[in-house]
Amino acid sequence: MRTLIVSALMLFANALHAQSDTLDDRLVALTYHKLSGETLDLKAAAERSPAVQRASGFDRPDVIKAEVARLESDLASADAKHEFVVRVNDNISEYDHDRGEFSIMFFKPGIYLDIRALGQQYRLVFGNAESLRAIPMPNKEEARAFDAKLASSGRFANNEIRFRIVGSGDPSGAVTGQHIIRGEIVSARLLDRAGNVVYTPHASAPPPATVAKSGDATANDVAGLHVGVRAKDLEATMQRMFGPVSRQKRSNNWFAGYQGALVVNDMKCMDLPGRKGGSPQPGTVCVTAWVDGSDVVRSIRVERVFSYMDAETFRSTLVKKYGPVSSAKEGGSYALGWGAPVDSSLVYDYSGPRTSVAAYYDAHDDLFSRSMNALPRIRVILQLVDAPWATAQRKCARIIHPGFARAQ
């Protein structure tokens, strides 16, 4: 039996289980490496294989060599069009009277299929899972009969899923870490314990990204603020929305193209030891907008302190605004990214996401809140970078002077 894991940060639900009599984990992993471009250490994978583990010390070098050759051949022949089938022991929710539907638990954000292959752990998610999650049933009499049938089986269903591997990363942003395999469901059906079809969900294509990977950066915004505009125009908007705006001169540790900044509540959203007045209070908003030599806004960071916000609200709200996530990380702060890649010197956190749009969820629980068992204050950071402009700056810097290309 394989276990389906729910990301602890995002969803607090019981683990589900999958049976995988027909799923070739090794082929799933190899197809993922071929499509995603993620490097696979063939020698290390070969050394972890059962054939090598069983080999004697004398035969081991030859067995490793043969296993590496087999991996190379299988990796080369992995086909993006190949369709896999897996059966998942699933559950169907209670009836949602407001929405007029039931929910299939496996298709909720944060759930992934645990894949063990090539001596590594992989997490398989489905980019179009949300399209299959709901079982619409607005007719109450029909829903009552369906609910009674589910109750008699403990709300159990065997979820048979046919899918392809399409890339890497969880577009919902709910599953983070290394080796995230992105699949796309071709078809699915729910079966009862006798193998009879209970329901057939409809699989739709994943939604398109609303944040373009390249092109016009001014089409995006954070908190209604845009890059690519004149500093004096943004200054007036910031003054109206957030309060007094100050001007800062260039700092040596900034990206080379930044020549100044517009600032509201400089660093007042951060917890700093010995700060007069104590920790930042809920409702505090801080804004920094960096400008270039022509006084055009090229990057904006908006920070806001909340008394509390759960991580699922953070995730779902931002995915609704910006679309499928292109990058996510957990550790230090939970973060989501969208859009074109940018240099690490341009982002809030060097460890990522290194994307033109990024959002961070930071929990701050001080000694007082811990002693009172209070929920931590949450700082949400949104940042937008004019990626085409930044790329042009890098290219220009490399032409003028190679050593100029890396910002401090």
Side-chain angles (χ1 to χ4, degrees):
M1 300 289 285
R2 177 184 281 108
T3 302
L4 291 166
I5 310 295
V6 181
S7 171
L9 177 67
M10 302 308 302
L11 297 169
F12 301 94
N14 294 324
L16 304 177
H17 297 279
Q19 59 187 46
S20 56
D21 300 336
T22 60
L23 187 62
D24 186 338
D25 289 9
R26 184 175 178 277
L27 184 55
V28 168
L30 288 171
T31 306
Y32 159 73
H33 280 285
K34 183 172 182 177
L35 292 179
S36 69
E38 182 182 317
T39 301
L40 174 62
D41 188 332
L42 295 173
K43 187 172 186 297
E47 290 174 344
R48 292 189 292 260
S49 69
V52 171
Q53 295 297 315
R54 291 193 301 265
S56 66
F58 182 86
D59 293 324
R60 196 168 186 270
D62 289 336
V63 177
I64 290 175
K65 185 177 180 180
E67 186 63 20
V68 167
R70 188 166 76 97
L71 282 169
E72 288 176 337
S73 175
D74 291 347
L75 185 61
S77 61
D79 184 2
K81 296 179 181 179
H82 183 85
E83 294 185 358
F84 300 90
V85 177
V86 65
R87 286 192 175 186
V88 179
N89 290 338
D90 207 342
N91 292 87
I92 300 174
S93 73
E94 300 283 347
Y95 185 66
D96 186 327
H97 287 264
D98 293 331
R99 299 175 66 94
E101 65 185 31
F102 298 89
S103 291
I104 302 170
M105 299 303 293
F106 177 74
F107 296 135
K108 287 191 171 185
I111 299 178
Y112 63 85
L113 187 61
D114 193 36
I115 300 288
R116 303 294 177 114
L118 309 175
Q120 300 183 130
Q121 180 187 25
Y122 300 81
R123 296 173 179 180
L124 173 61
V125 299
F126 297 106
N128 60 339
E130 178 61 24
S131 70
L132 295 92
R133 179 192 56 78
I135 302 177
M137 209 167 288
N139 184 297
K140 288 290 183 76
E141 292 306 312
E142 182 185 4
R144 180 181 286 107
F146 189 69
D147 187 72
K149 186 176 181 180
L150 292 173
S152 67
S153 64
R155 316 200 75 80
F156 165 87
N158 200 316
N159 195 344
E160 184 181 85
I161 302 166
R162 180 176 294 274
F163 67 95
R164 291 189 294 262
I165 306 299
V166 295
S168 64
D170 179 11
S172 78
V175 179
T176 61
Q178 293 184 318
H179 312 314
I180 307 298
I181 303 173
R182 183 185 302 192
E184 183 175 315
I185 298 170
V186 176
S187 64
R189 56 180 190 161
L190 301 179
L191 311 174
D192 62 18
R193 296 183 189 277
N196 301 310
V197 176
V198 175
Y199 181 75
T200 303
H202 174 68
S204 300
T210 56
V211 177
K213 291 185 178 181
S214 61
D216 186 7
T218 62
N220 303 314
D221 75 276
V222 286
L225 305 178
H226 294 261
V227 296
V229 301
R230 302 294 301 180
K232 65 178 182 179
D233 296 330
L234 184 66
E235 184 174 0
T237 302
M238 290 168 59
Q239 178 89 26
R240 185 179 70 253
M241 294 176 65
F242 306 114
V245 180
S246 61
R247 284 254 183 176
Q248 283 187 358
K249 294 182 179 179
R250 172 177 169 76
S251 176
N252 287 334
N253 63 342
W254 288 358
F255 176 70
Y258 295 156
Q259 299 304 317
L262 306 173
V263 179
V264 174
N265 290 332
D266 187 26
M267 301 186 74
K268 290 185 179 179
C269 293
M270 299 180 66
D271 274 317
L272 298 175
R275 179 198 292 275
K276 186 177 179 179
S279 299
Q281 295 303 303
T284 303
V285 179
C286 307
V287 184
T288 304
W290 289 269
V291 301
D292 64 13
S294 300
D295 217 31
V296 173
V297 178
R298 295 305 181 183
S299 182
I300 302 172
R301 181 184 300 159
V302 179
E303 305 172 54
R304 182 172 179 179
V305 179
F306 295 85
S307 56
Y308 181 72
M309 175 194 291
D310 65 90
E312 173 58 16
T313 298
F314 167 83
R315 184 203 68 80
S316 60
T317 300
L318 289 164
V319 169
K320 184 177 181 179
K321 177 178 176 60
Y322 294 119
V325 173
S326 59
S327 177
K329 83 174 187 73
E330 185 179 338
S333 63
Y334 173 62
L336 305 174
W338 298 263
V342 297
D343 189 83
S344 62
S345 63
L346 288 157
V347 300
Y348 171 74
D349 184 341
Y350 276 25
S351 65
R354 300 176 185 181
T355 49
S356 59
V357 177
Y360 306 82
Y361 176 94
D362 244 341
H364 293 269
D365 52 343
D366 52 28
L367 291 174
F368 176 76
S369 63
R370 286 182 215 155
S371 66
M372 299 296 290
N373 289 324
L375 292 170
R377 285 172 294 107
I378 302 299
R379 183 166 64 115
V380 171
I381 303 104
L382 304 176
Q383 182 157 316
L384 171 63
V385 175
D386 187 338
W389 169 84
T391 300
Q393 294 296 301
R394 286 295 187 200
K395 289 179 179 177
C396 180
R398 283 195 292 270
I399 294 170
I400 295 171
H401 190 289
F404 181 70
R406 175 66 187 174
Q408 298 297 316

